[in-house]
């Protein structure tokens, strides 16, 4: 009987240790999954925070750009149009001066006509800067062609433009975003890159639309550029976001710039 009792105790001890081992392993697995999940969640939170910070920077760049645009327009209206209209008003008052001879009247009238014409030209230029009429009347393709012609007319750069996309179904807001992106890129290539050759190519593959922009300018260190993007580049990024697109950017010193933009 004692032997049987001893064997039962040993069996109970073995079963107890096995259960304890299983419980310990179970607890270890629970802790492992808990901390693993916690780390994954923390990484996701950090990723979302970075995305939110990036979106905040892009939004801030848009607001800064808009504010600068408003200041520029206000200055143009004050310096170019208001000043001319003030002189027109003064000249109009001079016409009321008694005893003006015919030549004086003609001179004052010609001044009024000339200044009014210049004010009209300036107002058209400001309106063109806000929304190029060619976009609204003839669409993005015609707008880009006109933009390319303007740069080619300087004879300092050769811009080649090819397009396989039908932009007619696109809303005017998308037209303007794409147009401003190209405008910014062209200005950067000329002003900073000193490029003499630029290629702009729009292609389509199913629902995916692509713009490939290449210049032969001085280029720059791609890593340094990614770390310190200027306002112009942030503005381009924000416009690409509005297009629900993405982009890749590549540049090296003395090897120009290549930018590929994908959008819907």
């Amino acid at each position: 009987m004692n032997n049987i009792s001893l064997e039962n105790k040993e069996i109970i001890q073995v079963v107890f240790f096995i259960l304890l081992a299983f419980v310990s392993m179970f607890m270890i697995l629970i802790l492992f999954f808990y901390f693993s999940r916690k780390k994954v969640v923390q990484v996701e939170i950090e990723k979302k925070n970075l995305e939110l910070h990036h979106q905040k920077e892009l939004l801030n760049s848009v607001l800064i750009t808009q504010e600068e645009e408003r200041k520029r327009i206000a200055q143009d209206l004050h310096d170019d149009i208001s000043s001319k209209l003030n002189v027109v008003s003064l000249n109009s008052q001079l016409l009321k001066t008694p005893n003006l001879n015919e030549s004086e009247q003609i001179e004052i009238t010609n001044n009024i006509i000339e200044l009014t014409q210049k004010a009209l030209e300036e107002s058209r230029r400001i309106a063109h800067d806000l929304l190029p009429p060619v976009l609204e009347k003839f669409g993005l393709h015609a707008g880009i062609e006109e933009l390319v012609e303007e740069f080619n007319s300087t004879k300092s750069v050769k811009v080649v433009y090819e397009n396989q996309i039908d932009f007619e179904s696109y809303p005017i807001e998308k037209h303007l975003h794409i147009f401003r992106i190209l405008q910014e890129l062209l200005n950067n290539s000329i002003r900073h890159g000193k490029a003499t050759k630029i290629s702009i190519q729009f292609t389509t593959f199913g629902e995916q639309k692509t713009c490939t922009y290449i210049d032969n300018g001085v280029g720059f260190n791609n890593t340094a550029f990614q770390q310190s993007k200027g306002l112009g580049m942030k503005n381009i990024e924000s416009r690409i976001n509005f297009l629900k697109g993405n982009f890749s950017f590549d540049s090296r010193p003395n090897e120009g710039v290549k930018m590929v933009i994908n959008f819907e």
Side-chain angles (χ1 to χ4, degrees), residues 85-132:
L85 291 178
N86 283 333
V87 178
V88 168
S89 178
L90 290 172
N91 276 274
S92 300
Q93 293 297 323
L94 286 176
L95 286 175
K96 296 180 180 179
T97 304
N99 303 321
L100 283 177
N101 59 44
E102 186 177 353
S103 63
E104 288 174 333
Q105 289 180 351
I106 291 173
E107 183 182 355
I108 294 171
T109 303
N110 286 338
N111 284 338
I112 292 172
I113 293 171
E114 183 181 351
L115 289 166
T116 303
Q117 185 63 36
K118 287 181 178 179
L120 285 171
E121 289 172 0
E122 289 298 328
S123 66
R124 290 193 193 100
R125 181 185 63 78
I126 293 170
H128 183 277
D129 288 342
L130 290 172
L131 178 62

Side-chain angles (χ1 to χ4, degrees), residues 177-190:
H177 284 311
I178 295 170
F179 183 86
R180 294 302 188 203
I181 288 169
L182 291 178
Q183 201 173 39
E184 184 72 35
L185 288 173
L186 286 164
N187 284 326
N188 286 343
S189 291
I190 303 300

